[in-house]
Amino acid sequence: MSVIRPAHLGMLIAVGASAAMLAGSPAGAQQDPKAPPAVENPPPAEGPLMGRPETPGAQALAPLAPPPLVTPADKLPIDKIKVPDGFKVEVFASGIKNARTLRVGDEGTVFVGNWQANKVWAITEKDGKREAKVLYEDLDWPNGLAFHNGTLYIAEHKKISKAENIEANLDNPPKLVTIYDKLGNPRPHGWRFLGVGPDEKLYVSNSSPCNICMPEPGFGEIRRMNLDGSGAEAIVRGVRNTVGFDWNPANNQLYFTDNNRDWLSEDLPNGELNRVTEPGKQHFGFPFCHQGDLADPEFGWGYDCKDFTPPIAKLGPHVAPLGMRFYTSDMFPEKYDGAIFIARHGPWNRTKKIAADVVVVQLNDEGNFESMEPFLTGLIENNKYIGRPVDVTVMHDGSLLVSDDWNGAVYRVSYTK
Amino acid sequence: MRLALIALMLFAGTAFAETKHFPERKELCLGCHGQNGVSPTPQTPSLGGIPEYYALLQLVEFRDGNRKSDIMREMVKDMTDDDLRAAATFVAEQPRPPAPEDPGNPARMQRGVELAAKARCGQCHGKKFLGGEQMPPLRNQREDYLLKALLDFKAERRLGNRAAMVEVVTPLGEKDLADLAHYLAHIEE
C-alpha cells in the first residue's frame, strides 16, 4: 500500500549526500552553512507548486494563507507602518475581507474588489462618518474593477459586467449586466485586473494559468475592447500574471506589473515593470524568457531573450508586484508628480521574506526607469508578514489609499507641509 | 422584548468581540455532526480530527457566504468572531472517527489506493490522510460526505483556497471520485 513517490526519493538522496560530506570533512574544518530542516510530508509539486525542486528548503514553501478572520481595527499594524517624513498613515477602512483592488468614483465612493471573498464593497462618507458596505456578493473572484463616466465595471474569473450610474444607487445597486464573457478557464491566475485607458477602451488581464507552462492561445494576454465589450483584441502577449496596470499621463502608454515564475531560485527571477510602446505587437517573454535576460531552463531552449520586450525595471525577486498607479495629484511633494506607486505583495516563494510594501518608481523624461525607493514599509516581523499591500489608488484630495488583503483593511496616506 | 432589542443595539458596537451564541448552540452542532466526532447524518461530515485553523476557516466562510450551505449559514450567520473561535476550538477537541467495521469492497478499495496515489491526496492531507494544521483529515470520513465534497469541487460549487481542489479533481470522473470516497471512508486501522 505504501507508494514511493519521487519526492521521497529526492529527499533520501539529499540526506545521503550531506551525510557523506560530513563523513569526509577533516576535523576542525569550517562547518557547512546551516541546512534547512527536512519536511515530513511535502505537499504535491502541482498547481502553484508545479516546478518545485524536491529539496527540503523548497518543500517548506507554499502560497501563504491569510488569517481566517479579518483583523479588528484596533489590532491593525498601523503603528508599525513607516512612511517618509511629513506623511501620515491612518486606517481608512477595516473588516473588508480579502480587500484588494481599489477604485475611486467621481463622487468619492471607494470601491473595493476582492479575489477569494467574492464581494465588491463601497466605502462612502456622509456627514464625516465613513461607512463600508457590501455592494455585490456571490461573485466569482471579482478582483477586477474599473470606474468610468459613472459606470462601475467588474471583471470576474470568466466575465466582465457593468453597473451604470452606480454612485446614485449605492443603497439599491442595479443588477449587473454582462458585457463580455470570453475570459479563460482554468482557474490558476484567474483573478483579473481591469482598467479604462485614455483611448476610452476597457483593458483586462487574461493571465497564464500556471506557474510555468506553454499557455493555450488567448492566455498570457492583456486584452482591449470597447466599453460595450465588443471588438476584443490582444494588446499585450507573453505575460505570466499581471495584477496591475495604469497609463502614463505623460505619454498615454500602458505600463504593467508582472509576477514572474516560481521555483527558479531564491533570488531569481525578478518581478517586472513593463512598458507597452507598440500595442498589439510586443511579446513580453513568458514562458520563454523572464525579466528580459533570463532564459527559462525548460521553455527557453532555442529562443533568444533579445527577441522579446524586456521590462523597464526589475522590482525584486518573487516580490509579487501588484497594483500600480501614476501619481498626478498635488497633495504630495513635487518629486512624486508623475511617479508610479507600486504595491509589492511580498513573496511566498522565497525563504527570506521581503517587500510587503509600497515603492515609488521615478521615470526619466523618456518614460523609462530612473529609480525605485521604498515608500510604505514595516509589514514584516520575524520573517513573517503582518500585512500585505495589494493595490494603490489616489483619492480626489490627492491622498493615497493602500489595500491589505492579509488583514482585510485599507490605509490612507496623506501629506501635510 | 424591548430590553432585548436595546441590549442588541448596545452589543452591535462590539458585536464581534465576545462569545454570544456558541455555548447555547453547541448541542445543536452535535445533533447533526454527532457525538464523539462521528456523524450519523447523511451528507454531514464527521468533525473528529479537524484542526482548529481549518475549522475556523470553514466557519468564517460559511458566515461570509463564500462556502454555500443553507443550514450552516443559518447556524453561524449571527455568531461573533469569538463564537466562531470557540466553535473551532470545540471542533478540534473532538476525537477522530474510528475505522468502520465494514472493510469496504476489495476491488473499489484497490482502485481507491491507485486513485489516491495518482491524485496525490496524501501529499497535502498527510500520508495517513489525517490532515495537517491547515488541512482537513479524510480518513474514515463519511463516504457520502466525501463524495459530496469531491463533486462540489468538480462542479465548482465549492472552490476552496486558490481552487486547488478544483484542479485536483478536474481530471477525475464521477466513478473515480466515488471509488476514492469509498476507499478513504473505509481505510482500516
Side-chain angles (χ1 to χ4, degrees), chain A residues 5-24:
Chain A
R5 303 197 174 90
H8 300 133
L9 281 176
M11 271 173 61
L12 287 176
I13 291 162
V15 169
S18 58
M21 263 155 47
L22 284 176

Side-chain angles (χ1 to χ4, degrees), chain A residues 1 5 40-47 63 65-66 68-69 97 115-119 138 140-141 185 187-188, chain B residues 53 56-57 60-61 63-66 68 81 85 117 120 122-124 126-127 134 156 159-163 167 183:
Chain A
M1 216 188 94
R5 303 197 174 90
E40 166 65 20
N41 185 45
E46 290 171 3
L69 288 164
K97 188 169 169 135
W115 162 18
Q116 303 212 58
N118 299 334
K119 294 177 173 65
D138 293 336
D140 184 6
W141 290 3
N185 183 27
R187 289 268 161 192
Chain B
Y53 177 99
L56 181 59
L57 187 67
V60 172
E61 297 298 294
R63 188 180 70 182
D64 292 353
N66 296 324
K68 302 291 173 205
D81 286 1
R85 287 190 185 97
R120 309 184 82 179
Q123 301 277 3
C124 283
K127 276 182 224 165
Q134 300 190 1
E156 299 197 7
L159 291 181
N161 193 25
R162 283 178 176 256
E167 277 184 70
Y183 162 65

